[in-house]
Amino acid sequence: MFKVADDPRLTRVGRFLRRYSLDELPQLLNVLRGQMSLVGPRPLILEEDRHVTDWGRKRLDLKPGITGLWQVAGRNAIPFEEMVKLDYLYVSTWSLGNDLALLGRTVPPHLSQRTAHLLTTAARATNEPTRAERQDAVPSD
């Protein structure tokens, strides 16, 4: 469920795919097959699923999704128990409008992350300091 920062098993290509969430693209095939939805509770591996009991099992009432409330609320910064609560909330209050809103909230963080990475890369290529480096250079009172 949780991605390990600086995972030593990741190749350069894998890091690139993960940085831009391109590692999620194969799941689009599952959406096209009808096995997943664009928006829904995040699928769990069996080990994680064993820890979901009682009311948390309601997350299985809908197809799993590529994105959902957990992803837009903070992803890896949210503890597992909170993720289960967010999935329960999503399933309990499902509507097409909510799905469209979640899709709208999913895209901007990825775009801003890509833009920030591109700007940093461009600044380094031209030997221009990044905004953070410029702010660090400003003397404080």
Side-chain angles (χ1 to χ4, degrees):
M1 166 70 72
F2 301 102
K3 296 178 180 177
V4 177
D6 300 324
D7 189 339
R9 300 169 296 172
L10 274 178
T11 63
R12 189 177 297 158
V13 172
R15 253 188 300 285
F16 175 82
L17 293 174
R18 191 172 276 183
R19 175 183 293 141
Y20 296 107
S21 295
L22 296 174
D23 56 335
E24 303 287 344
L25 286 179
Q27 292 186 28
L28 284 177
L29 293 175
N30 294 331
V31 172
L32 294 174
R33 290 180 185 142
Q35 299 167 337
M36 288 183 74
S37 176
L38 287 175
V39 182
R42 190 72 176 165
L44 300 177
I45 60 172
L46 290 176
E47 179 59 35
E48 294 165 339
D49 187 62
R50 290 184 191 136
H51 298 286
V52 180
T53 59
D54 301 325
W55 54 267
R57 305 299 298 167
K58 188 167 176 68
R59 69 189 311 283
L60 301 173
D61 289 353
L62 294 175
K63 288 182 183 177
I66 295 175
T67 191
L69 194 52
W70 171 72
Q71 285 84 351
V72 300
R75 284 181 96 152
N76 296 345
I78 295 176
F80 182 80
E81 296 78 19
E82 187 67 21
M83 186 259 332
V84 173
K85 289 177 186 176
L86 289 172
D87 281 347
Y88 176 81
L89 177 63
Y90 169 79
V91 171
S92 300
T93 61
W94 182 89
S95 73
L96 180 59
N98 286 345
D99 276 6
L100 294 173
L102 286 170
L103 283 171
R105 290 175 57 195
T106 298
V107 175
H110 290 294
L111 291 178
S112 64
Q113 181 182 20
R114 288 183 186 136
T115 303
H117 177 72
L118 289 172
L119 290 175
T120 301
T121 303
R124 287 190 180 127
T126 60
N127 293 326
E128 291 288 323
T130 64
R131 181 175 17 174
E133 290 167 340
R134 284 193 302 268
Q135 287 175 346
D136 288 344
V138 175
S140 58
D141 294 330

